[in-house]
């Protein structure tokens, strides 16, 4: 509990341990910017985590989380949120307050949809949702015009939507899904550097691939 008295603390890292919980007093650390507690035994987070008004980096991968406190939406300065390899089966939290979020990783969870709350995160650059059970890509994702990386390997996606609005997209990965057709406009992206469509029943590669002048790697094993 006494950790709440370290009111000048800016970075706290405790990964690869057996940590089961944070005390509510952690919400007193108003100067905290970096909180890394991956590879532990956390099952829940205290509500007071929403008081960490200067938090920019929150890494909680490889724990046993099944839910988040609603107060997570108060973290208006949060840039990176890592929740990979936890025990989430659904994810319907309000992220409308996470206006600074640029990196979101929720790989290795048993979710079937891309969290709709991400549509409010207009600064999002890196979206990683591999090793899940996502079946489709929602239309609202085209509103995230700052996206640079979309990593959706190892899901159950059947259709890739139009990518015409993603002018900043550099890396796209759809390996091990159920996609049989590639949209031509994906190769019109002027900044596309890497594209992977391995382990899909793709039947045709659009001739427009010749327009992808910056493409450095293309994987279709």
């Amino acid at each position: 509990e006494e950790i709440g008295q370290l009111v000048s603390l800016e970075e706290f890292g405790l990964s690869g341990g057996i940590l089961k919980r944070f005390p509510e007093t952690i919400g007193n650390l108003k100067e905290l910017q970096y909180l890394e507690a991956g590879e532990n035994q956390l099952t829940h987070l205290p509500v007071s985590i929403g008081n960490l008004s200067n938090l920019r980096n929150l890494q909680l991968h490889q724990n046993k989380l099944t839910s988040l406190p609603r107060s997570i939406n108060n973290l208006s300065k949060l840039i990176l949120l890592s929740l990979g390899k936890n025990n989430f089966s659904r994810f319907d939290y309000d992220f409308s307050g996470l206006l600074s979020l640029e990196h979101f990783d929720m790989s290795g969870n048993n979710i079937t949809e891309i969290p709709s709350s991400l549509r409010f995160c207009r600064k999002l650059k890196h979206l990683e949702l591999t090793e899940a059970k996502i079946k489709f890509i929602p239309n609202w994702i085209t509103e995230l015009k700052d996206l640079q990386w979309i990593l959706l390997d190892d899901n159950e996606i059947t259709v890739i939507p139009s990518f015409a609005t993603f002018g900043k997209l550099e890396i796209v990965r759809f390996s091990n899904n159920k996609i049989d057709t590639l949209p031509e406009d994906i190769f019109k992206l002027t900044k596309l550097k890497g594209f992977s469509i391995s382990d899909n029943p793709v039947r045709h590669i659009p001739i427009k691939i010749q327009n992808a002048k910056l493409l450095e790697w293309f994987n279709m094993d």
Side-chain angles (χ1 to χ4, degrees):
E1 297 289 335
E2 290 84 356
I3 195 170
Q5 299 175 24
L6 306 180
V7 293
S8 296
L9 196 66
E10 295 181 0
E11 297 185 12
F12 177 54
L14 187 65
S15 60
I18 56 172
L19 184 68
K20 293 184 178 180
R21 72 175 185 89
F22 283 117
E24 283 288 340
T25 57
I26 199 169
N28 297 335
L29 307 182
K30 304 293 186 179
E31 301 300 318
L32 196 65
Q33 298 180 30
Y34 179 96
L35 177 56
E36 203 283 312
E39 302 173 36
N40 277 289
Q41 306 295 317
L42 293 170
T43 57
H44 68 281
L45 300 176
V47 174
S48 66
I49 201 166
N51 297 334
L52 303 178
S53 55
N54 282 303
L55 197 63
R56 287 171 166 76
N57 190 313
L58 180 57
Q59 299 190 38
L60 299 167
H61 53 278
Q62 287 185 247
N63 277 280
K64 297 181 178 181
L65 297 171
T66 59
S67 64
L68 296 176
R70 299 293 174 182
S71 61
I72 200 89
N73 193 43
N74 297 335
L75 304 179
S76 60
K77 294 183 180 180
L78 194 66
I79 294 175
L80 184 150
L81 178 57
S82 175
L83 298 170
K85 296 186 178 179
N86 276 279
N87 294 330
F88 291 98
S89 58
R90 56 179 300 181
F91 202 85
D92 56 357
Y93 301 96
D94 181 8
F95 276 8
S96 59
L98 303 186
L99 301 179
S100 301
L101 194 66
E102 296 181 6
H103 309 271
F104 180 75
D105 178 8
M106 202 175 173
S107 299
N109 284 280
N110 195 30
I111 58 174
T112 59
E113 298 180 3
I114 296 177
S116 58
S117 51
L118 291 175
R119 71 184 305 169
F120 300 106
C121 305
R122 299 299 177 86
K123 292 185 178 181
L124 198 65
K125 294 180 179 179
H126 294 176
L127 174 61
E128 184 167 355
L129 284 162
T130 62
E131 300 178 62
K133 294 186 178 180
I134 294 170
K135 301 181 184 301
F136 68 95
I137 301 174
N139 291 332
W140 57 257
I141 202 169
T142 58
E143 299 171 16
L144 305 179
K145 300 185 185 303
D146 283 345
L147 273 178
Q148 296 176 3
W149 289 24
I150 296 180
L151 312 182
L152 291 168
D153 302 319
D154 303 303
N155 279 287
E156 300 175 8
I157 298 167
T158 57
V159 177
I160 301 178
S162 171
F163 273 58
T165 61
F166 293 118
K168 298 181 180 180
L169 206 56
E170 297 178 4
I171 305 294
V172 179
R173 290 193 349 217
F174 285 109
S175 295
N176 196 23
N177 277 278
K178 299 179 180 181
I179 299 161
D180 64 3
T181 303
L182 300 183
E184 289 192 355
D185 61 7
I186 200 166
F187 295 116
K188 294 180 181 179
L189 298 174
T190 58
K191 296 187 177 181
L192 187 65
K193 295 181 179 179
F195 184 77
S196 178
I197 196 69
S198 293
D199 297 307
N200 281 274
V202 173
R203 297 173 295 176
H204 174 66
I205 304 298
I207 194 171
K208 295 293 185 181
I209 192 175
Q210 65 189 356
N211 297 329
K213 302 300 184 182
L214 294 183
L215 196 63
E216 297 175 0
W217 55 267
F218 176 60
N219 193 342
M220 55 173 290
D221 293 343

